Amino acid sequence: MMMKCFNCKNEIEDDSLYCDQCGAKIFICPDCRIPGKGEGKKCGRCGHSLVDAAALADSAAAGSSGSDGSVVPPVPEPEKPQLPTRLVCRAENITLDLVDGALIGRVEGMYAQKLGRLDYISARHATLTRSGDCWVIADVGSRNGTAVNDQWCYTPLPFRKGDVVRIANFYDFVAE
């Protein structure tokens, strides 16, 4: 199978660690094994941080014998990120405390008083749900949409601490 290098846009083998055209590192999701745009970006499917494909391949080999016969210790699992407790829009000076099942809306929902002056947010815009180690936002047919880390929310999307939730294609809220 083939994939596209996010640096030079050329087709490369899907198990590549580096692009054979431009030499760029390939970054993939450690859970889904889906390639992504690069360092510091999140997986579009599950929301996990992308990792260097070469480092992931090295850690998969960890625990096996090294070339000199010594045992290579396994790479420790990274700590799970803390669950965010709020969404903060610094440009509008608005903080929304995250509540399971809450409706985000300009007219309806528990945040209506804070969001009422923001014209681009729909009366009923999106819902929040807690799911394991993350939160999930689902657009409920808003006029101007919802996105997580620049990925449009056509289906419910997870978000974690540090992710950017864009409401109404205008207001950026950071999960803290």
Side-chain angles (χ1 to χ4, degrees):
M1 292 175 89
M2 301 294 278
M3 69 176 173
K4 193 175 277 193
C5 171
F6 284 99
N7 186 50
C8 69
K9 310 296 185 226
N10 285 310
E11 292 285 322
I12 57 175
E13 295 291 327
D14 67 347
D15 60 350
S16 298
L17 304 179
Y18 296 89
C19 175
D20 59 0
Q21 304 295 315
C22 70
K25 286 184 184 179
I26 303 299
F27 290 87
I28 62 173
C29 175
D31 291 333
C32 303
R33 304 287 191 210
I34 295 173
K37 290 188 178 179
E39 190 169 16
K41 300 294 183 180
K42 304 275 183 181
C43 175
R45 179 180 291 169
C46 72
H48 283 109
S49 295
L50 299 177
V51 298
D52 180 343
L56 190 63
D58 291 344
S59 69
S64 61
S65 295
S67 60
D68 63 355
S70 63
V71 175
V72 178
V75 175
E77 286 289 321
E79 288 185 33
K80 287 195 176 198
Q82 289 181 322
L83 190 66
T85 59
R86 61 190 183 166
L87 291 173
V88 179
C89 179
R90 288 188 172 49
E92 297 296 330
N93 196 27
I94 296 174
T95 298
L96 306 177
D97 292 324
L98 296 172
V99 176
D100 194 14
L103 173 69
I104 296 173
R106 184 174 39 82
V107 176
E108 296 182 38
M110 67 182 292
Y111 309 117
Q113 187 173 8
K114 292 182 177 187
L115 302 175
R117 64 183 170 81
L118 304 179
D119 293 333
Y120 298 110
I121 295 178
S122 295
R124 295 176 45 84
H125 199 95
T127 58
L128 296 168
T129 309
R130 184 174 171 181
S131 178
D133 68 343
C134 67
W135 284 88
V136 176
I137 191 163
D139 193 280
V140 293
S142 71
R143 184 177 204 171
N144 293 312
T146 306
V148 175
N149 297 329
D150 293 325
Q151 180 181 357
W152 287 105
C153 188
Y154 299 114
T155 60
L157 287 177
F159 65 91
R160 291 174 177 74
K161 208 168 204 174
D163 289 346
V164 177
V165 176
R166 179 168 290 156
I167 299 174
N169 194 26
F170 195 77
Y171 309 105
D172 286 339
F173 288 81
V174 177
E176 297 182 344

